[in-house]
């Protein structure tokens, strides 16, 4: 991906982050998932008092996309920080999100973990989830 494409996807993730519902952790996360067709789906984390039904930003974006018929993706940008603070670490997808993304993006999905538009790490999902379990395992 070119730098301008990465930065555009990071901006979308920051825009999504503003909608996070985080009354318990106060850690708001935004994600922007790009379909292979170029369409971008935003997601934010949504917490729940009983914690288990909490949903991560990455899965929110993924489920929005799949529910609208998009099932192939090439990149996702993720940003996260405590409310009112700038994060000093990048926010990577949790294990459940890595597995959910693997289903539709496979090991070649580009994962952009950003602190800002100019400070980010790019990895593949295969780097973050080596030997992932996906549809091919069931063939």
């Amino acid at each position: 991906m070119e730098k301008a494409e990465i930065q555009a996807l990071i901006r979308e993730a920051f825009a999504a982050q503003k909608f996070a519902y985080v009354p318990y952790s106060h850690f708001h996360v935004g994600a922007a998932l790009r379909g292979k067709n170029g369409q971008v789906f935003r997601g934010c984390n949504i917490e729940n008092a009983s914690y288990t039904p909490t949903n991560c930003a990455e899965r929110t974006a993924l489920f929005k996309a799949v529910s609208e018929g998009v099932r192939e993706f090439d990149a996702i940008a993720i940003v996260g920080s405590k409310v009112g603070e700038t994060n000093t670490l990048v926010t990577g997808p949790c294990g459940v999100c890595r597995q959910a993304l693997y289903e539709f993006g496979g090991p070649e999905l580009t994962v952009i973990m950003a602190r800002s538009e100019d400070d980010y790490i790019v990895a593949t999902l295969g780097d973050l989830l080596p030997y992932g379990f996906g549809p091919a395992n069931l063939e």
Side-chain angles (χ1 to χ4, degrees), residues 38-58:
Q39 194 173 358
V40 174
F41 296 87
R42 293 180 184 174
C44 62
N45 54 328
I46 304 165
E47 295 181 345
N48 188 284
S50 65
Y51 290 105
T52 302
T54 293
N55 202 52
C56 297
E58 300 90 329

Side-chain angles (χ1 to χ4, degrees), residues 26-79:
H26 306 290
F27 191 84
H28 55 160
V29 180
L33 178 65
R34 187 176 73 182
K36 286 187 177 180
N37 65 0
Q39 194 173 358
V40 174
F41 296 87
R42 293 180 184 174
C44 62
N45 54 328
I46 304 165
E47 295 181 345
N48 188 284
S50 65
Y51 290 105
T52 302
T54 293
N55 202 52
C56 297
E58 300 90 329
R59 282 181 286 139
T60 299
L62 177 65
F63 296 162
K64 286 171 64 176
V66 172
S67 73
E68 294 181 28
V70 179
R71 296 194 174 141
E72 293 183 338
F73 307 97
D74 61 9
I76 186 167
I78 305 159
V79 299

Side-chain angles (χ1 to χ4, degrees), residues 1-13 32-38 40 74-77 110 112 117 120 122:
M1 288 180 71
E2 294 183 21
K3 186 174 182 174
E5 292 176 290
I6 291 171
Q7 290 176 321
L9 207 53
I10 291 169
R11 281 192 298 276
E12 291 287 334
L33 178 65
R34 187 176 73 182
K36 286 187 177 180
N37 65 0
V40 174
D74 61 9
I76 186 167
T110 299
I112 304 155
E117 282 185 46
Y120 54 85
V122 178

Side-chain angles (χ1 to χ4, degrees), residues 85-134:
E85 296 180 16
T86 300
N87 205 5
T88 57
L89 301 172
V90 295
T91 300
C94 75
V96 173
C97 287
R98 291 174 196 206
Q99 183 60 52
L101 290 166
Y102 198 93
E103 181 79 14
F104 297 96
E108 65 278 352
L109 180 75
T110 299
V111 181
I112 304 155
M113 299 162 283
R115 293 189 266 300
S116 72
E117 282 185 46
D118 296 309
D119 187 5
Y120 54 85
I121 295 170
V122 178
T124 66
L125 189 55
D127 293 333
L128 300 178
L129 185 64
Y131 310 107
F133 187 88

